[in-house]
Amino acid sequence: MRRIDMTLLDSGTKCVDPAEDLADRSGPNAARKVAIDRSLTDLSPVVFASLPRADQRRKGLMYLRGLLGATGRKSVRNIASFLGDQVNDQGLHHFINDSTWEWDPMREALGRHLVRRMAPQGYVLHPMVIPKSGAHSVGVARTFSWEHGQAVTAQQAIGVWGVSSHTAIPLSWWLHLPSHWTRGAPRGDRSSTPPETRPTTPEDSMVSAYLEAASRLRLPHRPVVLNAERLDGIRLVTKLSAAGLRHISRIATDTWLLPHDSALTGWGDSPLQAHQIAQLARNSRKRLALIPSGNPEASELVTAVRVRLPAALDSTERTHGRGDFLLLGIGRGGARWPEELWLTDMATADHAALLRLVGLSRRVECHGVPRAERVGIRDFVGRSFAGWHRHATLASVAHAAAELAELRLAT
C-alpha cells in the first residue's frame, strides 16, 4: 500500500461558480452589511447559548465581525485593529487562546442549526494544508504539499462540510496530529493537546473526523464524498465501508482494482490500474449533466465499471478481492480522458445521481474553500489545540453568516 501524507491538492478541476463571495461581488455596501447583520442576529443566540458570561458573548460577536470585515490576515491583532476601541487585542487573544470556554457546544449548536436549515445532500470530507513559519503550533510537521509543489512546514486539517446544490458550509473541523505530537516528543506546546489522542494515519483522521461529527451533530444519513487522490485510496474506502458509510471517493489513476464485469473487453483475474480499466470501457461512455441545466457545456462523458478491491497485490499472491464497487471515469472527452476517477460502494445507484455527488465535492473546492480562507480558517497564529479549535469554530460561524447573507440577497 502507498503511504502518502494528507494534502490539499490542485485537482485540476476548473472552478467556475457564479455565486462569488459577497465581498468580491458587491463590496462593503449597505445591502451586504444589512444581510450580514441579519445573519449574525439569527446565528448569535444559537451559537452563543453555551457561553455563560455576557462579556464572552460580546467578544465572540466582535471576533465574528472581525473575521467578516477585517482586511488581510485574520489575526487577533488585525481583528482588534479593525474593531478599534470596541475591544483590545490582549482581551481578544485571551478569549481565543487562554479562556476556558468549550468550543464543542458552540460547534454542535451551529452544525445542528445548519443541517436543519440547509438539508445537505451529502457530506464532503476535505483536507486542508495550513503552512506555518515555525514548528511550535499544535500539529505542525514537515510534509510535502501538492498545493505548493514542495515540502512545507504545516498543519493538516480536515473539514466536514454539509453541501447542497446551493450551499457549502463546514460543520466541523478535525486537526490531524502526527505521531510526534502524541508520543511525548519534546517539541512545541502540547499543554492543551487532548491526552487521549493516539497516533493516526491521515486516512484514520479522515474517517474519525466524519464519525465524530456525525455522532456529535446527529447528522442525518447522507453519502460521504471525498478526494482521496493523494491518499491511500484502498485503505480509505475500506475504512469507510467498514464504518457502514455510503461513500464516493476520487482516487489516483494508478490505484489497483479488480475488474468485475464480464462484458468488459480484456478483463481477467489480474488487477489493473484504475485508468487502464476506464480505458477498456472507453467505448461505453455516456454524456451526463453534472447538474441538469440544459447546457451541453456543463455535461461530462462518464463510464462506469464494476470492480472489486484487491485483497493482496504483491507478486506472490493474486486473490479475487472483496466488495462490489463501481469505478466512474469522468471527463470532457479530450485526449486526457478520464480526467477524474471515482470509486463508490453505491454500485447500483443511478449514474447521474453519483455525478451530482461529485458536483458537491467540486462546490467545496471552488466555492467553499475560498470563502473559508476569506474568513480566516488558515489564519490562527496561536500554538494551542484549544485555541486552534476556538478560532476554527468561530471561522465556521462567520462562514455560515456570509453564506446565509448571500442567500438572503439572492432571494
Side-chain angles (χ1 to χ4, degrees):
M1 294 291 185
R2 297 181 301 169
R3 172 83 273 119
I4 301 176
D5 281 336
M6 176 178 63
T7 56
L8 174 66
L9 61 142
D10 178 2
S11 65
T13 301
K14 292 184 178 180
C15 297
V16 179
D17 194 329
E20 296 176 350
D21 187 78
L22 286 172
D24 295 337
R25 184 179 63 188
S26 56
N29 57 28
R32 176 180 182 274
K33 185 178 185 303
V34 168
I36 288 286
D37 285 345
R38 287 181 178 175
S39 292
L40 289 177
T41 298
D42 290 345
L43 288 173
S44 292
V46 174
V47 300
F48 293 147
S50 61
L51 297 183
R53 302 202 319 258
D55 66 305
Q56 291 178 324
R57 295 190 292 273
R58 174 181 169 274
K59 288 177 182 176
L61 182 57
M62 291 297 99
Y63 200 81
L64 290 177
R65 293 193 182 281
L67 292 174
L68 288 162
T71 58
R73 191 176 189 185
K74 304 304 193 295
S75 65
V76 167
R77 179 176 296 180
N78 283 349
I79 289 174
S81 177
F82 168 78
L83 295 171
D85 295 335
Q86 298 178 72
V87 67
N88 67 76
D89 59 347
Q90 288 300 317
L92 210 57
H93 174 88
H94 176 80
F95 174 71
I96 295 297
N97 288 281
D98 304 318
S99 186
T100 58
W101 63 272
E102 296 290 335
W103 67 86
D104 279 337
M106 184 182 296
R107 192 177 291 179
E108 290 169 18
L110 174 68
R112 292 173 188 173
H113 175 79
L114 292 175
V115 167
R116 288 193 299 269
R117 183 158 182 170
M118 68 185 292
Q121 298 168 0
Y123 307 109
V124 174
L125 307 184
H126 194 84
M128 175 177 287
V129 168
I130 305 173
K132 308 296 282 189
S133 58
H136 299 293
S137 295
V138 63
V140 169
R142 192 72 177 167
T143 187
F144 185 81
S145 170
W146 291 92
E147 186 180 11
H148 299 86
Q150 60 186 6
V152 295
T153 300
Q155 295 167 317
Q156 297 184 92
I158 301 157
V160 180
W161 295 71
V163 192
S164 68
S165 58
H166 301 293
T167 57
I169 303 177
L171 305 175
S172 185
W173 291 97
W174 177 280
L175 187 62
H176 175 68
L177 297 180
S179 59
H180 69 265
W181 280 96
T182 55
R183 287 177 178 160
R187 181 182 175 188
D189 176 8
R190 298 170 182 76
S191 59
S192 58
T193 302
E196 71 276 9
T197 302
R198 296 190 297 269
T200 60
T201 66
E203 292 80 12
D204 291 332
S205 284
M206 291 284 278
V207 177
S208 295
Y210 174 75
L211 293 178
E212 181 186 68
S215 174
R216 288 184 178 276
L217 306 183
R218 303 177 195 146
L219 295 178
H221 294 294
R222 299 289 184 273
V224 174
V225 186
L226 64 150
N227 189 335
E229 192 177 23
R230 303 302 183 187
L231 300 175
D232 186 333
I234 296 299
R235 178 186 178 94
L236 190 48
V237 300
T238 299
K239 286 182 171 293
L240 292 169
S241 294
L245 305 176
R246 292 181 297 156
H247 57 87
I248 180 168
S249 306
R250 184 173 177 178
I251 59 172
T253 60
D254 60 352
T255 303
W256 291 94
L257 297 166
L258 281 165
H260 195 59
D261 187 346
S262 58
L264 187 66
T265 303
W267 87 290
D269 293 331
S270 298
L272 297 172
Q273 292 184 347
H275 73 95
Q276 295 173 315
I277 298 174
Q279 285 293 329
L280 289 175
R282 186 182 181 97
N283 292 335
S284 66
R285 294 177 301 177
K286 296 184 292 185
R287 188 172 289 278
L288 297 172
L290 180 63
I291 298 175
S293 63
N295 178 8
E297 295 299 322
S299 63
E300 309 265 350
L301 281 174
V302 180
T303 191
V305 184
R306 285 183 176 271
V307 296
R308 295 173 73 85
L309 303 185
L313 291 174
D314 58 46
S315 59
T316 61
E317 184 179 7
R318 301 285 187 179
T319 69
H320 290 289
R322 60 190 187 277
D324 291 316
F325 289 79
L326 198 67
L327 175 67
L328 293 179
I330 303 173
R332 301 289 181 176
R336 286 185 59 244
W337 193 93
E339 297 168 25
E340 300 177 14
L341 290 161
W342 291 77
L343 186 65
T344 179
D345 68 336
M346 295 176 281
T348 61
D350 177 74
H351 297 171
L354 294 175
L355 202 56
R356 285 193 289 272
L357 291 176
V358 171
L360 301 185
S361 177
R362 293 180 181 180
R363 183 164 187 85
V364 169
E365 291 182 6
C366 298
H367 180 63
V369 170
R371 171 162 285 168
E373 292 172 339
R374 283 190 285 270
V375 297
I377 190 58
R378 296 186 196 247
D379 293 345
F380 177 66
V381 295
R383 295 185 178 185
S384 72
F385 184 85
W388 187 90
H389 275 286
R390 291 189 189 106
H391 171 85
T393 300
L394 288 167
S396 293
V397 178
H399 187 120
E403 193 87 1
L404 295 175
E406 183 175 275
L407 293 176
R408 286 179 187 277
L409 293 178
T411 57

